[in-house]
């Protein structure tokens, strides 16, 4: 049964029917129990498991996401780059759905991801569009880049958004060894991104100024009256 279901799920995934593959897995849990599904997930190729997990729908609970183990999830997360999703929206969505499904296991999932080759890169990708805030938090314990005083330090309860702020707080305060491998890269990316943005703004300004100059009419030269030679004998006696 296990092998047959894995083959069936793989076939559905290849055909693009992710919902069908998830339905087959959920049906196994309903008919044979959660342990049977966990066993199948353990045998599934990480890329197939990832295909199912990354289709997470926030409007409903996913049995697969609820039962996947830290080790299984970590194996899937580190190959997310195969999808070349530069926005990392899917990565963030599926990580949130699993990391924060049960607060008692969040630490296990974080450690499992970090233990896999490519795990640090997964965290960096997850936080990539918040690089400046993360770098600021590393230095000042606040995500507000305009604040840097001790009174601005945020507590965990203030950032319990089950999203990037909460994960960043947990990484810095409860997984310092992992955080120390992550935030310097994000800081470097932030600096490089701002440099590129400043250069682009400079070039756009130059282009706008050039277009303005090109649109201005050419200056009209004032007419010069021809000089008339005056006979000395005709000069006024005055």
């Amino acid at each position: 049964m296990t092998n047959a279901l894995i083959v069936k799920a793989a076939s559905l995934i290849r055909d693009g029917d992710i919902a069908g593959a998830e339905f087959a897995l959920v049906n196994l849990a309903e008919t044979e129990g959660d342990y049977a599904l966990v066993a199948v997930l353990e045998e599934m190729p990480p890329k197939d498991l990832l295909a199912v997990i990354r289709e997470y729908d926030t409007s409903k609970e996913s049995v697969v996401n609820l039962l996947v183990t830290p080790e299984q999830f970590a194996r899937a997360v580190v190959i997310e780059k195969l999808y070349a999703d530069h926005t990392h929206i899917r990565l963030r969505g599926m990580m949130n759905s699993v990391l924060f499904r049960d607060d008692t296991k969040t630490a296990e999932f974080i450690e499992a991801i970090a233990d896999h080759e490519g795990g640090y890169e997964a965290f960096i990708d997850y936080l990539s569009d918040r690089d400046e805030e993360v770098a600021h938090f590393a230095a000042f314990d606040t995500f507000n880049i305009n604040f840097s005083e001790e009174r601005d330090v945020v507590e965990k309860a203030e950032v319990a958004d089950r999203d990037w702020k909460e994960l960043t707080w947990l990484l810095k305060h409860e997984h310092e060894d992992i955080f120390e491998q992550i935030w310097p890269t994000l800081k470097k990316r932030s600096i490089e991104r701002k440099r590129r943005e400043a250069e682009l703004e400079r070039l756009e300004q130059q282009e706008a100024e050039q277009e303005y100059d090109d649109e201005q009419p050419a200056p009209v030269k004032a007419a010069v009256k021809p000089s008339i030679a005056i006979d000395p004998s005709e000069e006024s006696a005055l």
Side-chain angles (χ1 to χ4, degrees), residues 19-209:
E22 182 180 16
F23 178 80
L25 296 170
V26 171
N27 187 58
L28 174 66
E30 292 176 348
T31 57
E32 299 189 28
D34 293 348
Y35 288 108
L37 176 56
V38 172
V40 168
L41 297 181
E42 184 64 33
E43 297 299 322
M44 282 183 68
K47 63 180 180 62
D48 288 347
L49 178 57
L50 174 62
V52 174
I53 295 175
R54 76 191 306 269
E55 291 299 315
Y56 173 67
D57 182 354
T58 56
S59 66
K60 63 181 179 67
E61 282 192 336
S62 166
V63 173
V64 175
N65 287 28
L66 289 172
L67 294 179
V68 65
T69 67
E71 179 64 24
Q72 293 166 353
F73 185 64
R75 289 200 301 264
V77 164
V78 296
I79 61 173
E80 162 68 14
K81 287 183 179 293
L82 292 176
Y83 287 88
D85 176 14
H86 300 297
T87 66
H88 305 299
I89 293 176
R90 290 294 183 87
L91 173 66
R92 204 164 120 187
M94 72 177 189
M95 284 184 67
N96 288 345
S97 72
V98 174
L99 292 181
F100 300 113
R101 76 182 191 194
D102 182 350
D103 292 342
T104 63
K105 291 188 175 182
T106 300
E108 293 181 37
F109 280 99
I110 291 175
E111 293 290 344
I113 294 172
D115 286 342
H116 271 266
E117 183 178 355
Y120 291 137
E121 287 78 5
F123 284 123
I124 290 170
D125 287 343
Y126 172 100
L127 295 167
S128 61
D129 64 342
R130 297 293 181 176
D131 51 18
E132 186 174 8
E133 291 100 321
V134 174
H136 191 76
F137 184 77
F140 303 107
D141 256 354
T142 176
F143 293 106
N144 191 326
I145 59 176
N146 298 313
F147 296 159
S148 58
E149 302 294 334
E150 185 175 343
R151 60 183 172 83
D152 301 317
V153 171
V154 295
E155 301 297 330
K156 180 181 178 182
E158 299 177 71
V159 294
D161 60 353
R162 305 179 76 81
D163 199 353
W164 69 274
K165 286 185 178 179
E166 185 169 357
L167 179 57
T168 302
W169 194 99
L170 290 171
L171 288 171
K172 179 178 180 181
H173 292 285
E174 298 182 8
H175 305 273
E176 295 180 30
D177 55 331
I178 301 174
F179 190 65
E180 287 300 318
Q181 299 296 319
I182 294 171
W183 78 263
T185 299
L186 289 167
K187 181 179 180 180
K188 181 180 179 181
R189 289 188 179 185
S190 175
I191 294 172
E192 292 175 347
R193 175 177 54 78
K194 286 188 283 189
R195 179 187 58 77
R196 290 194 302 270
E197 290 173 353
E199 178 64 14
L200 179 60
E201 184 177 351
R202 185 185 67 80
L203 292 174
E204 289 177 345
Q205 180 64 26
Q206 280 186 341
E207 184 176 336
E209 291 174 354

